[in-house]
Amino acid sequence: MKHTLFALSGAVALMASTQVQAEQSIVVGHTLSPDSHYSVGAEAFIAKLEELSGGEFTGSEAPAGQLGGERDMIEGLQIGSLDVVITSTGPLGNFVPEVYALDLPFLFRDYDHARAVLDGDIGDELLAKINENQLVGLAWSENGFRHVTNSQRPVRTPADLDGLKLRTMENRVHMEAFSEMGAAPTPMAFPELFTALQQGVVDGQENPVTVITASKFWEVQGHVSLTGHVYSPAVILAAPSLIEGLTEEQRSWFYEAAAASATATRAEVNRLEEEGVALLRENGMEVITDIDKAPFAALAEPAYAVYTDQYGSELITRIQAVE
Ligand code: EAX
C-alpha cells in the first residue's frame, strides 16, 4: 500500500515537472490601441519574458479592450481567467482602496516626483497592499498626467467646466473631484468611451496626451486644456493563480519582464509628452496651455476625503515630502 502511494506521488511530481517545462503562453491585456505606450510596454514585457525564460514562456498581446475594460480585467485576474494586465489605477481603488492615495488631484508635482514615489518605499508598500487583494502587483508603470478634452468650448477656468458631461474613470476620487469642480461626472469603462464621445452621450473626457493621441480623440473632440489635474499611474498586474504556480526562478522572470515593460513605457510617455501636443494641434485640436491650476486645485480639495476619511493623511504627507 505504502509502495503504491509512493509510486503515485512520484508520478504526480513527474507530471508537475513536465508541466512546468512545457511552453506556457501568456496573454497581456490592456485597453489602448496597438500603437499606444501600453503596447510598447506589453511588447517589452513579452520580449523580456521570452528572453529570460529561453522560450519556456511565450507571450501575446490583447490590446484595445479585447478582454474587457480595466475593471473587468482586474476581476479576470482575481478569478484566474486572465494572465497579465496593464491597467491605470482608475478602477483599482474599488479593489484596493489604499491605492486611492495615488489618484488624488494635484498631488504629484511632475513626472520625476511621481516616478520617485512609485519607485520608492511607498510604491513597494502599495504593491504589497495590492497583493493582499487576490492580485499580484508586478511593477508600477505609467499612463501620465491627465488633461480635459471636450467638444463644446475651450476650458480655461473651473467655470468653463460648469455642467459639462464629462466621462471619468470608475474612480470615486476622480468623480468627487470633478463634481466639486462643477462638471457632471459620468463614470464609464474606456472601451465605451470613443463611441460615447462620438454620439454625444458625454461632452468630454480626461486622459493623458499619450491616450488622447493613441485613441485619436481629435476625431470627436475639438478642445483640449492642459489641466494636468491628476497623475495617472499604471500598474502591471498578474493573476495569483498564475504566479503561485511558478518556481522562484520563473517568478523572477515575470518581475524582471514587468520592470523592463515599465521602463519602455515611461520612455514612450516622455517622447509623447514632447511631441504629443504638436500632434494634437496638427490634427485640429485647439490646445489651451496657459491654465491657472490653483482654482481647480482649491475646488478639488474635498475629494481628498474619499481617501483620508478611511486612512488619514499620513501617506499623503509622505508622498508630498518625496523629493
Ligand atoms: O489606462 O480609462 C482610462 O481613461 C485610462 O486612462 C485608459 O483606459 C488607459
Side-chain angles (χ1 to χ4, degrees):
M1 186 63 185
K2 239 180 181 171
H3 186 78
T4 325
L5 262 179
F6 273 121
L8 197 63
S9 64
V12 169
L14 191 68
M15 268 166 58
S17 75
T18 329
Q19 255 173 15
V20 167
Q21 267 156 37
E23 181 189 300
Q24 267 201 65
S25 171
I26 301 299
V27 179
V28 182
H30 65 84
T31 52
L32 298 178
S33 77
D35 57 4
S36 61
H37 58 305
Y38 282 6
S39 270
V40 167
E43 282 160 23
F45 181 92
I46 292 163
K48 196 63 169 181
L49 184 64
E50 290 182 352
E51 175 203 318
L52 291 170
S53 71
E56 192 179 318
F57 289 91
T58 59
S60 62
E61 185 187 350
Q66 279 168 22
L67 305 175
E70 293 184 331
R71 186 169 44 79
D72 306 323
M73 290 195 291
I74 293 170
E75 281 166 3
L77 293 172
Q78 288 187 321
I79 62 171
S81 63
L82 301 185
D83 300 325
V84 173
V85 168
I86 302 173
T87 176
S88 74
T89 51
L92 190 57
N94 297 311
F95 303 86
V96 190
E98 290 90 345
V99 170
Y100 276 137
L102 301 175
D103 298 321
L104 298 169
F106 301 101
L107 174 62
F108 292 103
R109 296 182 298 272
D110 50 30
Y111 278 101
D112 285 345
H113 180 209
R115 292 171 184 179
V117 168
L118 294 173
D119 292 346
D121 292 343
I122 296 171
D124 289 346
E125 288 164 28
L126 290 171
L127 285 177
K129 290 287 172 205
I130 290 172
N131 294 347
E132 288 169 14
N133 290 276
Q134 287 172 271
L135 293 163
V136 176
L138 293 176
W140 291 108
S141 184
E142 188 160 78
N143 198 13
F145 277 92
R146 302 177 78 90
H147 309 296
V148 172
T149 75
N150 83 98
S151 58
Q152 302 296 309
R153 54 183 174 257
V155 169
R156 293 191 172 85
T157 68
D160 299 320
L161 285 176
D162 202 29
L164 209 65
K165 262 190 280 162
L166 192 86
R167 177 270 177 177
T168 67
M169 297 195 285
E170 298 161 282
N171 182 298
R172 284 177 49 216
V173 172
H174 290 190
M175 289 170 65
E176 177 63 19
F178 277 104
S179 65
E180 297 288 348
M181 289 190 276
T186 307
M188 189 184 290
F190 189 81
E192 295 163 34
L193 178 55
F194 190 94
T195 311
L197 292 168
Q198 194 168 41
Q199 296 180 345
V201 175
V202 287
D203 302 314
Q205 64 88 44
E206 44 83 53
N207 251 303
V209 172
T210 50
V211 177
I212 301 171
T213 54
S215 311
K216 297 188 168 43
F217 281 151
W218 48 70
E219 291 177 3
V220 286
Q221 301 275 274
H223 312 276
V224 52
S225 304
L226 301 185
T227 45
H229 51 274
V230 72
Y231 174 76
S232 184
V235 61
I236 306 169
L237 300 173
S241 58
L242 167 69
I243 300 300
E244 280 157 17
L246 302 176
T247 66
E248 213 156 297
E249 188 191 22
Q250 290 172 325
R251 246 177 241 185
S252 74
W253 299 335
F254 277 74
Y255 280 93
E256 275 191 57
S261 172
T263 302
T265 300
R266 283 179 180 179
E268 183 65 0
V269 171
N270 289 347
R271 188 184 72 78
L272 281 163
E273 282 292 333
E274 278 182 25
E275 299 168 16
V277 171
L279 207 60
L280 302 178
R281 289 208 171 98
E282 271 165 42
N283 284 281
M285 288 185 108
E286 179 192 14
V287 186
I288 312 285
T289 54
D290 55 338
I291 305 276
D292 178 9
K293 294 183 183 174
F296 289 95
L299 285 171
E301 171 90 44
Y304 277 54
V306 173
Y307 176 83
T308 55
D309 280 356
Q310 203 171 348
Y311 298 106
S313 51
E314 193 214 326
L315 184 59
I316 296 169
T317 310
R318 281 177 63 208
I319 291 174
Q320 285 163 337
V322 172
E323 294 294 327

